[in-house]
Amino acid sequence: MIRRQTNDKIPNFHQRSSLWSKCTTFRKLRQIHAYMVVNGFNTSKFNVRELIYVSALVIPSGISYAHQVFDHITQPDRFMWNTMLRGSAQSPNPANTVSLFTQMERRGIQPDRYTFPFVLKACTKLSWSILGCAVHGKITKHGFDENTFAKNTLIYFHANVGEIEIASALFDSSATKQVVAWSALTAGYARRGNLGMARKVFDEMPEKDLISWNVMITAYAKMRQMESAKALFTLVPNPDIVTWNAMIAGYVTSGMHTHALQMFDEMTRVGEQPDEVTMLTLVTACTNSGDLDIGEKIHRSVLSLGGGKLSILLGNALIDMYAKCGEIDKAFKIFNNMKEKVVTTWNSIIGGLAFHGDSEEAINVFKRMRKIKITPNEITFVGVLVACSHAGRVQEGQEYFNLMKKEYKIKPNIRHYGCMVDLFGRAGLLNEAFEFINQMEIEPNDIIWRTLLGACRVHNHVELGKIANEKLLKLRKGESGDYVLLSNIYASQGEWGGAEKLRKVMDDKGVRKEAASSLVDADERMLMRFLFDSKPQMEVDKFKTKVHMKSFDVK
């Protein structure tokens, strides 16, 4: 079974029972929760504690479920509050930590030595320096400023938000100067991009533990200095899974996918067991490189190591990989075989189907999703609207756009508006597209206007093309493609004077068309990047990035 790597070095102040230690999936979590409710065990503080702990910290991406449960607890104790703070701080939305802490204070729950570091960690991730300094004040007020755990977290916070002098002063005032404090200062310098000072502190450490080695290697890897990372890697006495993952992730981030796969082979040769982070990184490498053969090999390794089972994150990543490599049937097969699916899983397959033009199936999956009461999010609707656009389903696309706003209370963002402009544009409804843009609740950006300009080129609409081009010139001072698109619109209508005049403007401004580029293909690629930059798999990528670089975190 693939090990779920945990980099959480918080002191182990909670021992799970044997029953709850077996709860490692959403399905089991829901089953146990239902059993608790049916049999009245949800009144037991012990069981509620376990439920909160497992959902917030054990189940991947389970923090949303933890929040739902926590909101219905009338009198949560301090352990439950701390658990929620801890889970929220390490989640993709650390701002929830601050909201929870505010509620905790209002309800008169006294913090302990664990409470503030969780809040401070969230402030670090969000780069909220002012709020973090306020938390520093509260730590001092409550007398925890000499607590080793709190002080190390403060060093890490101040170093990360750029207050190196304060971090250094806290470090110098530390009586013991534990290796964690050294690592915190090293990580702080590294995150600010000052690798020279980070390495200086690292070299001056009187004693180095594995965390400190991982901090420095990860720093080099994050800055794509892989030669320095590899040189340091060769000196690590006993590298662990975090060390290997840092190297593999660094090679992937640097685009050196072959080196990443070689590092994986070396890792398995020495007997180090890969974890979920390892496999997610390798799947990403295959996705980015388009190497389907290696991707299928990694897929087999994932199944072998996982006993034939796929976690939600790995399943999502594989769906994304196969979809981007053009094997949408294999992506769909993985989706159908996944026993546990969350909204990001549904989003991955809907987006993949829509991107590859299988609009009918994408919309059917969306209908199936709604039928079984899975609540779609804003990313879901991006995929659905793209599917409607590619299929020419204008009325249906409008209905889904309104459904998103009215039934699900999702406020449209620039990507949704882009989808709608593309929907109208592909169908040749250019006046409707222009009217839609004018009614947008947010300011249209260059992608919106270039989408309209591209549609005007396809449907030979000169007047709207002029307007779109003028808007683009104001937004980005004109790129060659914008001028050429409008020039082609003039030419298609026989307005050679307008085309020649535009060419002269290009010459006067020194604008040159890039050689060997297809404007139609470029528009398509540009729009799809715009629409799918934050598609659900990107949520997984964020998770991977955070976990790859976890050795920066001082917990």
Side-chain angles (χ1 to χ4, degrees), residues 47-270:
N47 284 320
V48 174
R49 277 185 166 196
E50 294 288 337
L51 179 64
I52 292 294
Y53 183 88
V54 171
S55 55
L57 298 173
V58 178
I59 305 296
S61 304
I63 188 64
S64 295
Y65 193 85
H67 276 287
Q68 293 175 32
V69 174
F70 186 78
D71 288 343
H72 289 87
I73 301 174
T74 54
Q75 291 183 317
D77 60 21
R78 188 163 56 191
F79 171 83
M80 296 179 198
W81 282 103
N82 281 347
T83 301
M84 289 302 299
L85 291 171
R86 179 181 176 186
S88 298
Q90 63 191 36
S91 76
N93 190 10
N96 286 336
T97 313
V98 178
S99 177
L100 277 169
F101 178 67
T102 302
Q103 295 176 44
M104 183 179 179
E105 283 197 313
R106 286 175 180 171
R107 294 173 67 169
I109 307 298
Q110 285 297 311
D112 62 12
R113 64 185 184 276
Y114 299 116
T115 306
F116 292 115
F118 298 143
V119 183
L120 205 57
K121 177 186 175 184
C123 293
T124 305
K125 293 176 73 174
L126 294 163
S127 297
W128 287 359
S129 58
I130 296 176
L131 186 60
C133 288
V135 174
H136 187 169
K138 288 181 179 291
I139 289 174
T140 302
K141 178 182 176 181
H142 284 80
F144 297 131
D145 50 329
E146 292 304 319
N147 175 265
T148 301
F149 180 46
K151 179 168 282 191
N152 290 338
T153 312
L154 282 168
I155 292 170
Y156 183 66
F157 162 73
H158 285 294
N160 272 272
V161 299
E163 297 167 345
I164 296 293
E165 290 183 1
I166 298 176
S168 298
L170 287 166
F171 175 78
D172 292 338
S173 68
S174 177
T176 58
K177 288 189 181 179
Q178 293 181 330
V179 67
V180 177
W182 285 92
S183 296
L185 193 59
T186 303
Y189 278 119
R191 186 172 178 183
R192 302 301 297 178
N194 193 341
L195 292 188
M197 280 301 299
R199 185 59 186 264
K200 181 176 183 295
V201 174
F202 176 79
D203 289 340
E204 290 175 356
M205 285 185 185
E207 180 184 353
K208 297 179 179 67
D209 64 0
L210 191 52
I211 293 176
S212 58
W213 285 96
N214 289 342
V215 163
M216 201 62 232
I217 290 172
T218 304
Y220 281 128
K222 188 176 181 181
M223 299 300 290
R224 302 185 182 186
Q225 297 186 18
M226 293 311 298
E227 288 187 9
S228 298
K230 185 61 185 293
L232 206 59
F233 175 81
T234 59
L235 301 175
V236 182
N238 294 296
D240 65 357
I241 187 64
V242 176
T243 324
W244 288 98
N245 284 348
M247 290 297 300
I248 293 171
Y251 282 128
V252 172
T253 303
S254 302
M256 304 168 70
H257 301 116
T258 302
H259 287 77
L261 294 168
Q262 289 173 349
M263 182 63 67
F264 173 67
D265 289 338
E266 183 181 344
M267 170 184 170
T268 54
R269 277 200 305 271
V270 300

Side-chain angles (χ1 to χ4, degrees), residues 44 74 80 97 163 208 219 321 350 357 361 401 428 435 473:
S44 164
T74 54
M80 296 179 198
T97 313
E163 297 167 345
K208 297 179 179 67
M321 180 194 76
I350 290 171
E361 194 61 60
F401 184 78
E435 183 179 350
L473 291 176

